[in-house]
Amino acid sequence: MKKIIFIITLLPFLCFTQLTEDQIKALEIHNYARKQVGSTPLVWSEKLEKQALLYAKILARKDNKQNMKHSQTNDGENMTYSYSAEIRDGVVVPTFSSNPLTEASIGWYEEIKDYRYSKIKKIRIGRPVGHYTQMVWKNTKKVGIAYAISKKGSVYVVARYFPAGNLIGKHPY
C-alpha cells in the first residue's frame, strides 16, 4: 500500500517536470559551483522558469543590451545577452546556441576567478562577481532559467532564484 501511495504521489512529478538537456546541464553547473562551497543543491522551479521567460521576452522585445536592467522582482536574478552570426551567401544570418542556459551558467560561474571571499558590498570596484555569488548563495533553494530570442537574433537569458541572494553586508556562503 505504501508503494502505491508513493508511486501515485511521484507520478505527476515525473510526468510534468521533464527538464530539457539544457536545463539539466545549467542546473548541474549551478549545483557543482554550490557543492564547491558547501551550499545545498538547488532544485528547478517551473514557477521561477516562467517568470524568467516573461522577463527574457521583455528584454528580447526591447533588444537593447546597453539598457538591460534587472526587473523589479524580489527574487534573485541573473541575466546575460549574446549574439552570434555568420555570413551565408553574402547575407548576415544569426546563429543560435543549442544550449543557451548552459552557456549562460558557465559564464556566471567563470566569475569565480575574480571573486575573493568577502561580504557583499553596496559598491564593488573591479570585475563583476554578483552572478557567481547569486549562484552559490547559501540560503537560495530554487532556480528557474529561460531565454528569448529577439527579432534581430539576440539571445537574452534570465535566471530567477528564490530566496534572493547578494544581500549587502552578508557572506554568500
Side-chain angles (χ1 to χ4, degrees), residues 97-112:
S97 165
S98 59
N99 298 301
L101 309 184
T102 300
E103 289 179 9
S105 298
I106 289 169
W108 298 328
Y109 174 71
E110 287 177 346
E111 290 179 5
I112 190 175

Side-chain angles (χ1 to χ4, degrees), residues 71-133:
S71 68
Q72 299 300 312
T73 184
N74 289 324
D75 297 322
E77 185 174 69
N78 280 348
M79 303 181 310
T80 191
Y81 156 92
S82 66
Y83 178 81
S84 63
E86 59 185 41
I87 298 175
R88 294 185 197 152
D89 298 324
V91 178
V92 176
V93 179
T95 58
F96 307 104
S97 165
S98 59
N99 298 301
L101 309 184
T102 300
E103 289 179 9
S105 298
I106 289 169
W108 298 328
Y109 174 71
E110 287 177 346
E111 290 179 5
I112 190 175
K113 70 184 179 307
D114 297 313
Y115 179 66
R116 300 296 171 258
Y117 186 75
S118 64
K119 292 179 180 177
I120 301 297
K121 297 174 180 79
K122 188 170 187 171
I123 298 175
R124 171 145 168 58
I125 298 171
R127 301 188 62 91
V129 296
H131 301 104
Y132 167 72
T133 54

Side-chain angles (χ1 to χ4, degrees), residues 140-160:
T140 299
K141 305 295 179 210
K142 298 177 183 179
V143 66
I145 313 171
Y147 72 97
I149 301 171
S150 75
K151 289 180 181 177
K152 295 178 189 172
S154 304
V155 179
Y156 292 86
V157 178
V158 176
R160 290 280 174 88

